[in-house]
Amino acid sequence: MDTSAFSSALRSISGALETPVIIILLIFIAATLVLLGSLVVEFFTERRRLKVRLPLLVDQLRNGEKPIAQTVEESGLLKRQKKALTELTLHPQLTDVMREALAVRLLEEEKNRFDAIVKISEIIARLGPMLGLLGTLIPLGPGIVALGQGDTYTLSTSLLTAFDTTIAGLVCAAVATVISTIRKSWYGNYMSILDALMECVLEEEKSHAEG
């Protein structure tokens, strides 16, 4: 069985993959920079504005001194949190069961939004090292052939490409992992606050309806 034809075919396929791998790594680098910038922007525009003391806000909602919508609007919650909580108070015709279903849907929408944001950095974190490894191994084939022929220039070029792609893939993966970890922590905090306040709003709306 002649394996030279198979080896040539595999070599051709791997060689054809070099350019797409490098292009995807360049896209990952650009995406990682965008994610890093958006994380900084999110910190200054949203995270620093989230100044809410959950027990105090719960007490204010239960005291009933102000309408629930006004208490929520004057709180230190984020805009999307305020919008979700206010939505529960805008439909007085809803039954308790229907309002609870609305609360579940609003929570799911927020969770899906956060998951979609985190998923981008998670994809880069998982695929970055793989593409870096591909970018390392693919040029080594021509480099080894060049070494056997005494072509040091081709060898050095292949090794340089291999090192560059490895570094690019690992750096993108490392930064994306840090971004994912930070955002998961933030979003987990956001969701826990929103979940607790929705329970409180549902209880207050139910008590008002019974009263």
Side-chain angles (χ1 to χ4, degrees), residues 28-40 42 114 117-122 124-125 171-187:
F28 275 16
I29 292 172
T32 302
L33 292 175
V34 172
L35 287 173
L36 188 59
S38 66
L39 182 73
V40 175
E42 184 177 351
F114 292 147
I117 295 174
V118 174
K119 187 177 294 183
I120 299 174
S121 54
E122 287 187 336
I124 295 176
V171 169
C172 288
V175 175
T177 300
V178 173
I179 293 173
S180 294
T181 303
I182 293 174
R183 278 192 160 146
K184 283 181 179 179
S185 176
W186 288 358
Y187 297 160

Side-chain angles (χ1 to χ4, degrees), residues 70-139:
Q70 182 180 350
T71 302
V72 170
E73 187 62 32
E74 294 176 353
S75 67
L77 295 170
L78 301 178
K79 288 183 179 180
R80 293 188 64 87
Q81 291 174 320
K82 292 179 180 179
K83 182 180 179 181
L85 291 171
T86 304
E87 185 72 20
L88 292 178
T89 66
L90 297 180
H91 308 282
Q93 72 279 9
L94 295 179
T95 64
D96 293 338
V97 175
M98 295 172 65
R99 188 172 284 108
E100 289 178 3
L102 175 60
V104 171
R105 182 178 66 82
L106 292 171
L107 285 171
E108 288 180 350
E109 287 180 355
E110 289 301 301
K111 184 178 183 301
N112 291 337
R113 175 177 175 269
F114 292 147
D115 288 344
I117 295 174
V118 174
K119 187 177 294 183
I120 299 174
S121 54
E122 287 187 336
I123 289 175
I124 295 176
R126 292 175 182 176
L127 295 183
M130 298 180 188
L131 292 171
L133 181 60
L134 280 174
T136 301
L137 297 177
I138 291 173

